[in-house]
Amino acid sequence: MNRQYPCLEISRSRLRHNMEEVISRCTARGIQVCGVIKGCSGLPEVGRMFRDCGATQLASSRLEQIIRCRQVGVPGPYMLLRIPMESELEDVARWCDYSLESEAATLDALEEACARQGAVHKAVIMADLGADVIKVERPDRPKASGPFLNGERVYDLSVQRSKKSITLNLKAETDKKVLLELVKKADVLVENFKPGTMERMGLGYDIIAAANPRIIYMAVSGFGYTGPYRSRGALDMIVQGMSGLMSLTGEPDGPAMRCGTSASDVFTGLYAFGAISAALYDREKTGKGQFIDVAMLDATFSCLENAVINTCVFGTDPQRVGNSHPTSVPFGTFPTSDGEIIITCSRDPAFYSLCRALGREDMVEDPRFSKAEARRQHKAELTEEISRFTRARTLDECERIFEAHGVPNGRINTMKMICADPQIAARNMIVEVEHPVAGTYRMAGSPLKFGNYPDTTYEPAPTLGQHTREVLAEYLKMPEEEIETMLKEQKELVHT
């Protein structure tokens, strides 16, 4: 979509006493008023005046006369508002508000492809929400490890869904210019190279911002743009280890363990998505884009909760506690006759409900267990009391009893179990798409359920370069022969 700075053209001299008010209202909304033209009878005359400044006419409709200007004092696209009647001043102010607020509804995001996945998770959330996400990839992209479905990598089928893929050789000046033209039409650019990589390619923030001052530039890296580790590369497990997360994960007498999922990648993607959303809202008020620096180490470290503050306050390393909790008791897994059940009673009322479920109301008054701190100090005794009850019953029996008494509990599902769970089905958390190569497949859906937008539309992950022609023709109006020439050069690169 076009980013536009409204510019006012007043055609009647009797509106002069209102001009400052209108400009003030626009300025308060972050609208840059790049010029005021008086006495123009219509779009042709305005067009001639603005073409002298390098403008190109785009459209006209009733109140708005829209012209995209390139050199009228403020860099970037502009919007010209023609106000022929004083009674329409309120409409103009209202229209300005609407224009800015509606801009967030359809976003164009460019995603630079590389190995780390923090930015990938952020971009898939934006794609789920309806943004046009264009994934810029190398034409000679090496094939990553499987498993594969009809030759397509299964991991990519999920996290690359609903995106468009184009191929650009950013070492070639022609392809680099194409990227900069796309940048001019984008709201957000996401890249997750090591700091300095984009600068060496001639695509650092200064260059990108010069092409589009309103762009949100999201730089995701292992360690950020400052500090002694800024030049180091990082992958998920490395960051899990360096952040301290692995030191907290595992059994007390066992080795440090990584999480069962790519936690650092996911944490970083969620933080990046939140930061971009905040930056877009800030742009609605100020009209300005900005650079955002998100580090995987920072994102993971910030999610360690009480481990950080306890270390800072007491100066000791927290010990691994397996499935239990360092302060809340009971909290963990308990054996049943056919499996394990999770029980978490962080608060006294929940524990008292557990006592009733166990048929042990006496424990409510037992000084070893009646209060949270006492339970923490007598964890082993309490764990044995609960386990004696659960061992004698099946998982289904325990779950039924605890639910009847309002005790927080849950079973440990396998992935096959949770994928077939009725709650997952009721929430549309398994969705199906049709891929041109891989065929029909099912994957996790979006957890975001909006009241005003109840249905999320999913598209399959793209094949490499699937949308290159479409994007260059639609967004840049690039002639077919130029596209073919560029793709031919890319093909030669692949075969060298």
Side-chain angles (χ1 to χ4, degrees):
M1 61 179 296
N2 295 327
R3 283 139 305 284
Q4 299 156 336
Y5 290 103
C7 176
L8 304 180
E9 182 244 324
I10 310 296
S11 62
R12 296 177 184 267
S13 60
R14 63 187 176 89
L15 295 183
R16 287 179 182 174
H17 66 284
N18 289 318
M19 193 183 303
E20 290 184 3
E21 176 187 353
V22 176
I23 294 174
S24 176
R25 294 184 68 173
C26 288
T27 303
R29 290 288 299 170
I31 302 169
Q32 296 188 26
V33 181
C34 56
V36 177
I37 304 172
K38 297 189 291 290
C40 295
S41 59
L43 184 63
E45 184 179 353
V46 176
R48 284 194 297 273
M49 297 178 67
F50 274 71
R51 276 194 295 274
D52 291 341
C53 300
T56 302
Q57 178 180 324
L58 290 181
S60 65
S61 62
R62 295 182 302 177
L63 181 63
E64 307 97 43
Q65 308 288 347
I66 305 174
I67 291 184
R68 185 172 182 176
C69 312
R70 297 196 180 278
Q71 297 173 353
V72 287
V74 181
Y78 304 89
M79 177 166 290
L80 175 70
L81 296 186
R82 185 172 185 274
I83 310 173
M85 297 179 62
E86 185 172 4
S87 62
E88 292 175 326
L89 283 174
E90 288 188 8
D91 292 335
V92 171
R94 187 160 54 246
W95 187 88
C96 289
D97 287 347
Y98 172 77
S99 172
L100 288 176
E101 291 169 2
S102 64
E103 185 173 329
T106 55
L107 298 170
D108 295 333
L110 289 174
E111 180 193 5
E112 292 285 356
C114 85
R116 289 184 301 277
Q117 300 301 320
V120 171
H121 290 286
K122 187 283 313 171
V124 77
I125 299 173
M126 296 190 74
D128 286 344
L129 294 180
D132 286 336
V133 178
I134 301 171
K135 183 176 175 62
V136 181
E137 306 188 76
R138 291 168 47 183
D140 59 342
R141 181 191 71 185
K143 197 165 190 175
S145 60
F148 299 96
L149 179 62
N150 295 333
E152 292 296 308
R153 190 177 181 223
V154 170
Y155 178 82
D156 290 337
L157 291 177
S158 176
V159 299
Q160 307 297 355
R161 66 171 180 250
S162 300
K163 301 177 184 178
K164 296 178 180 179
S165 170
I166 69 170
T167 53
L168 291 178
N169 174 20
L170 296 182
K171 295 181 180 179
E173 288 302 316
T174 301
D175 291 26
K176 193 181 299 183
K177 289 177 181 178
V178 169
L179 178 65
L180 288 174
E181 288 301 311
L182 286 171
V183 162
K184 293 176 182 179
K185 297 179 178 295
D187 293 283
V188 181
L189 183 142
V190 182
E191 57 94 352
N192 55 354
F193 295 106
K194 288 192 293 185
T197 302
M198 289 287 278
E199 285 78 6
R200 287 192 294 274
M201 290 192 295
L203 295 169
Y205 175 66
D206 290 346
I207 301 297
I208 298 298
N212 181 358
R214 285 170 57 81
I215 201 163
I216 309 300
Y217 186 116
M218 167 58 67
V220 176
S221 60
F223 303 99
Y225 273 63
T226 57
Y229 303 157
R230 67 181 302 273
S231 61
R232 293 179 59 168
L235 294 171
D236 176 81
M237 186 173 177
I238 294 172
V239 175
Q240 284 197 36
M242 294 183 67
S243 67
L245 175 59
M246 284 179 60
S247 76
L248 305 173
T249 308
E251 293 299 323
D253 56 351
M257 301 289 291
R258 69 177 289 272
C259 294
T261 189
S262 300
S264 292
D265 285 338
V266 174
F267 295 157
T268 307
L270 293 174
Y271 271 112
F273 171 72
I276 287 172
S277 300
L280 288 168
Y281 182 73
D282 179 74
R283 192 182 71 179
E284 297 301 299
K285 297 187 294 183
T286 66
K288 299 177 181 178
Q290 61 181 296
F291 176 85
I292 307 175
D293 172 14
V294 175
M296 294 174 66
L297 182 69
D298 299 352
T300 307
F301 180 75
S302 71
C303 291
L304 300 186
E305 302 179 293
N306 58 3
V308 176
I309 191 169
N310 285 341
T311 302
C312 292
V313 170
F314 300 110
T316 58
D317 283 325
Q319 299 301 302
R320 286 189 288 279
V321 293
N323 286 330
S324 63
H325 192 277
T327 59
S328 295
V329 178
F331 188 111
T333 56
F334 296 84
T336 66
S337 63
D338 60 349
E340 289 182 299
I341 191 165
I342 302 166
I343 301 172
T344 60
C345 297
S346 302
R347 304 292 182 182
D348 288 341
F351 174 70
Y352 301 153
S353 295
L354 174 62
C355 293
R356 289 188 286 272
L358 299 176
R360 293 293 307 276
E361 287 87 346
D362 60 294
M363 291 198 301
V364 174
E365 303 298 331
D366 191 321
R368 296 175 301 166
F369 310 133
S370 59
K371 296 299 178 183
E373 179 58 22
R375 292 194 295 275
R376 188 180 72 84
Q377 294 180 7
H378 296 88
K379 176 180 177 179
E381 300 102 300
L382 181 56
T383 298
E384 180 54 36
E385 292 288 352
I386 299 170
S387 297
R388 186 179 299 116
F389 178 92
T390 58
R391 282 195 201 99
R393 291 162 178 82
T394 66
L395 183 57
D396 287 343
E397 289 173 330
C398 288
E399 191 173 49
R400 187 165 55 250
I401 293 169
F402 294 148
E403 280 300 301
H405 288 82
V407 177
N409 76 97
R411 60 179 65 209
I412 301 175
N413 283 324
T414 65
M415 288 310 302
K416 286 181 66 176
M417 291 164 63
I418 189 60
C419 286
D421 193 284
Q423 180 66 23
I424 291 296
R427 299 285 293 172
N428 295 319
M429 284 305 299
I430 295 284
V431 298
E432 184 175 282
V433 294
E434 179 73 28
H435 191 276
V437 177
T440 301
Y441 65 92
R442 299 164 73 232
M443 61 184 178
S446 171
L448 305 179
K449 316 297 183 185
F450 289 87
N452 291 345
Y453 307 96
D455 298 319
T456 299
T457 300
Y458 300 94
E459 298 293 337
T463 57
L464 178 64
Q466 177 181 341
H467 302 96
T468 303
R469 287 184 172 86
E470 172 191 329
V471 168
L472 299 187
E474 178 182 341
Y475 283 77
L476 303 185
K477 310 302 180 188
M478 195 172 180
E480 180 64 27
E481 57 271 21
E482 290 185 25
I483 297 175
E484 287 300 326
T485 299
M486 188 187 76
L487 292 177
K488 182 179 178 182
E489 292 174 352
Q490 291 183 8
K491 189 174 183 180
E492 292 173 354
L493 173 68
V494 173
H495 290 92
T496 56

